[in-house]
Structure formats: structure tokens, C-alpha cells
């Protein structure tokens, strides 16, 4: 009997094959199939993931990471990871449901079933195990059954999953940390936090030396797993000489969003003896908030001295620490 797939399942398989060719991967794997489901936001399987509190966008990033690790030989499968085996299992699940076509939910279920495959391992590490998936499977499979009606999956290894009335799928967040320091030099203005602070000192650096923006840029890039400021803006590139650091921060946000992560909130501490930053704090918060696309109350900036100790205490320069919280967004497909 020829195998027939529902449209969403077919799209996922097509995507997996195109992606394999595009990236030059030597063979199609279960991870490509999983990525296909995630890329196409296939309705049933994504509903199942969300019901289990898994964010599909975050899983998509992890699948891409694992495909990369497999490509460079740093991820070994315990068994033959051929996607045909996953699709065969999906076919059996579909038959057991009495369906005439294989759905995207069948493929997700089949991928989760064998935790010795790459996709099975990744799903298990995200908390998607077969017993849990069985619990939401009727909904994912589009099987609407009135209370008391026979379970279409009866006889299968199913468990009942109930959710409390307050259940809300958990959204994963990421955190990035950044640090920067610059030496003071003669002649103002001081550029810090995206504004100019009048006076007779400035920070010395290849760009405009805005240490607040640099620490924040690293925090954003770090949270998104997108490298660091030195990689994005190397000193050796003449375009970076005197570069506006607010622009660097914006570019870091773009790089982060391309990876599916948006900055939700940042917190910055500047360690400096002089000048006192309090009079400029709100202007810095506003400038940073504009660059980050956030309301000002999601941008915190604090300043403190180093109690006269060390190079900061001697007024040789300033240091800055930043933390960024990132939340997932859907990447364009
Ligand atoms: Mg710097």
C-alpha cells in the first residue's frame, strides 16, 4: 500500500531534504525531519510541544546546533539514524490510529519513540518523552473525541496527562553576561551609555569606547550564543575605527534575533569614581532603551565607586558589567 502523507508532513519531509542539500550534510537524519516539522510550524506536532511546555523556536535552535555537531562528528548516534525508520514508525502509528494518511504528529511521535536516535535524544532532553506525548497525542492528531468515547490509541502504551487549570506552557529564557573596561584620556566629552557627558575626560578605545554599550553588546551576543563583540567588530577592520557603539548594540540585537532571541530586559552596573553618573542615568537608560527596542523601565543602569581601590579607584578608567535576558521569538521561515 503506498504511503500517503498529510500536507504538513509532506512539507516537513521536503524541507528536511532541501535543508540537507543546502548545508551539504552527508545524509538525511532524524534531526532534519524534526527541523522540518519545526520550520513549518506544523499544526498538530507544534500544538503537542506547546502543550508540553516546550517552545518550538528554542527546540529549532537546538536541532540546528545538533545537526551542526553531527556534521563535524561531535555527535554520535547509538543506532542507525536513518529517517526512513522514523517514517516507518510514523506509518505504523498512523495505522494504529485508523488514519489513511501519516500526519506531522505521527512523525513527531515516531521521532520521540526511539531515544537512541539524535531526534529522540534531543526531544527527551527537552522533556518530550513518549509517555507524555501520548497524553496529548489525540489532540495533536486532530482526534476529537467526546468524553467517554473509546480512546483511538487504546492498546498503545499511553498514560493520562492532566493539566492544572492554571497550566501555562513555560517559555524558556536565556541570560547573557558582558564586561568591558576602558582607560580615561584627556579631553571630553565622555561617551557612555549612548550619550555625551560634558567634561575634560573621555574614554580611549578603537571605537568610541562606550564601555556600557560594549558590555551590553557582549551580554546580548552571549545570551544568543552569537559570539562576541571582538568577532563582530574586529579592531583590524578600519570600518570599526571610531564606530558608534549604539550602532554596534543594535547590530548585536539583529544578530540575536536572527537566532530567534529577543532582548527582554537588561541590567548594567558601571564602576567608576568620577564623574558621578546619577544626573545622566535616565538619559543613558533612554538612549539604550531606544537602541534595544525596549521601554526604559526594562533598562536598568546603576553606578558605584570602587571605594578608591585599584585602577578604578585611582581614576585610571572605568569598568562596566551587564546582564541581558533574552526571550525566544519565531524566526522567519
Ligand atoms: Mg570596549
Amino acid at each position: 500500500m503506498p504511503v500517503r502523507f498529510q500536507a504538513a508532513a509532506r512539507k516537513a519531509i521536503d524541507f528536511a531534504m532541501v535543508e540537507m542539500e543546502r548545508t551539504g550534510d552527508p545524509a538525511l537524519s532524524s534531526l532534519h525531519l524534526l527541523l522540518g516539522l519545526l520550520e513549518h510550524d506544523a499544526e498538530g506536532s507544534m500544538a503537542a510541544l506547546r502543550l508540553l511546555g516546550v517552545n518550538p523556536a528554542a527546540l529549532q535552535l537546538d536541532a540546528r546546533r545538533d545537526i551542526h555537531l553531527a556534521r563535524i562528528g561531535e555527535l554520535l548516534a547509538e543506532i542507525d539514524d536513518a529517517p526512513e525508520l522514523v517514517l516507518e514508525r510514523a506509518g505504523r502509528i498512523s495505522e494504529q490510529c485508523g488514519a489513511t494518511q501519516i500526519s506531522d504528529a505521527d512523525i513527531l511521535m515516531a521521532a520521540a519513540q526511539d531515544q537512541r536516535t539524535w531526534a529522540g535524544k534531543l526531544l527527551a532532553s527537552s522533556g518530550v518523552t513518549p509517555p507524555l506525548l501520548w497524553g496529548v497525542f489525540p489532540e495533536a492528531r486532530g482526534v476529537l473525541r467526546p468524553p467517554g468515547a473509546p480512546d483511538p490509541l487504546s492498546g498503545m502504551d499511553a498514560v493520562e496527562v492532566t493539566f492544572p487549570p492554571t497550566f501555562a506552557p513555560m517559555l524558556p529564557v536565556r541570560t547573557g553576561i558582558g564586561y568591558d573596561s576602558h582607560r580615561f584620556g584627556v579631553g571630553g566629552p565622555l561617551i557612555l551609555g549612548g550619550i555625551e557627558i560634558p567634561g575634560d575626560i573621555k574614554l580611549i578605545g578603537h571605537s568610541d569606547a562606550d564601555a556600557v554599550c560594549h558590555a551590553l553588546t557582549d551580554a546580548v551576543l552571549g545570551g544568543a550564543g552569537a559570539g562576541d563583540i571582538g568577532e563582530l567588530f574586529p579592531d583590524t577592520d578600519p570600518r570599526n575605527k571610531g564606530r558608534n557603539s549604539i550602532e554596534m548594540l543594535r547590530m548585536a540585537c539583529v544578530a540575536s534575533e536572527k537566532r530567534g532571541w529577543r532582548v527582554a530586559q537588561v541590567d548594567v552596573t558601571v564602576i567608576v569614581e568620577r564623574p558621578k553618573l546619577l544626573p545622566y542615568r535616565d538619559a543613558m537608560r533612554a538612549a539604550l532603551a531606544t537602541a534595544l527596542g525596549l521601554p526604559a523601565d526594562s533598562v536598568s543602569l546603576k553606578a558605584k565607586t570602587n571605594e578608591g581601590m585599584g585602577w578604578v579607584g585611582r581614576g585610571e578608567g572605568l569598568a562596566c558589567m551587564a546582564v541581558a535576558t533574552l526571550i525566544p521569538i519565531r524566526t522567519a521561515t
Side-chain angles (χ1 to χ4, degrees):
M1 187 181 90
V3 177
R4 293 192 297 166
F5 293 94
Q6 285 183 1
R10 170 54 61 196
K11 268 187 181 174
I13 297 165
D14 287 349
F15 176 86
M17 292 167 75
V18 169
E19 181 72 1
M20 181 197 71
E21 282 174 18
R22 188 184 70 79
T23 53
D25 289 314
L28 202 62
S29 79
S30 61
L31 284 170
H32 290 98
L33 271 183
L34 178 59
L35 188 63
L37 292 174
L38 295 162
E39 282 282 345
H40 284 289
D41 202 8
E43 196 178 332
S45 48
M46 296 307 102
L49 290 177
R50 291 193 182 96
L51 278 168
L52 294 176
V54 174
N55 185 290
L59 192 59
Q60 189 178 326
L61 292 172
D62 289 341
R64 285 195 180 280
R65 175 203 62 200
D66 282 0
I67 287 173
H68 171 72
L69 291 176
R71 188 182 308 137
I72 62 174
E74 288 190 13
L75 193 69
L76 301 174
E78 287 171 37
I79 61 162
D80 181 0
D81 199 50
E84 291 81 2
L85 298 177
V86 177
L87 294 178
E88 255 179 55
R89 284 202 298 276
R92 284 199 295 275
I93 293 167
S94 177
E95 274 176 32
Q96 281 171 291
C97 292
T100 54
Q101 292 185 322
I102 297 173
S103 76
D104 60 291
D106 297 329
I107 296 176
L108 179 68
M109 186 69 232
Q113 258 185 342
D114 196 328
Q115 295 180 15
R116 293 169 301 171
T117 63
W118 283 326
K121 276 185 211 294
L122 176 58
L123 287 165
S125 72
S126 306
V128 183
T129 58
L132 282 174
L133 206 46
W134 282 132
V136 294
F137 195 63
E139 288 80 1
R141 192 63 178 76
V143 181
L144 298 174
R145 67 195 152 99
D151 184 345
L153 299 172
S154 66
M156 299 179 86
D157 184 18
V159 294
E160 199 64 42
V161 176
T162 54
F163 298 102
T166 53
F167 174 79
M170 187 176 64
L171 279 180
V173 297
R174 283 189 174 191
T175 305
I177 186 170
Y179 170 85
D180 197 32
S181 58
H182 280 272
R183 186 181 293 277
F184 282 132
V186 177
L190 169 65
I191 297 174
L192 196 66
I195 67 164
E196 291 190 358
I197 297 176
D200 56 3
I201 54 167
K202 65 180 178 184
L203 290 168
I204 307 295
H206 189 70
S207 66
D208 64 13
D210 186 333
V212 167
C213 285
H214 295 177
L216 269 174
T217 298
D218 258 352
V220 171
L221 293 173
D228 64 41
I229 193 169
E231 285 173 47
L232 240 66
F233 308 101
D235 286 2
T236 47
D237 187 339
R239 285 176 303 176
N240 294 329
K241 184 160 175 53
R243 192 189 268 278
N244 179 326
S245 297
I246 283 282
E247 182 195 328
M248 292 159 77
L249 182 55
R250 280 204 206 101
M251 288 166 77
C253 292
V254 170
S256 170
E257 289 186 12
K258 277 188 185 158
R259 287 171 174 257
W261 296 93
R262 176 177 296 135
V263 180
Q265 171 261 340
V266 298
D267 189 16
V268 178
T269 295
V270 184
I271 308 157
V272 63
E273 299 291 329
R274 246 171 233 98
K276 293 293 174 203
L277 297 183
L278 186 59
Y280 307 102
R281 188 178 64 184
D282 287 344
M284 283 194 269
R285 289 176 66 200
L288 295 170
T290 302
L292 292 162
L294 291 175
D297 66 0
S298 298
V299 177
S300 162
L301 190 140
K302 310 177 297 297
K304 61 194 296 152
T305 72
N306 210 36
E307 299 283 340
M309 295 180 289
W311 59 268
V312 173
R314 292 191 295 275
E316 291 172 20
L318 64 74
C320 181
M321 296 185 289
V323 172
T325 304
L326 278 66
I327 55 172
I329 50 173
R330 275 211 60 77
T331 52
T333 56

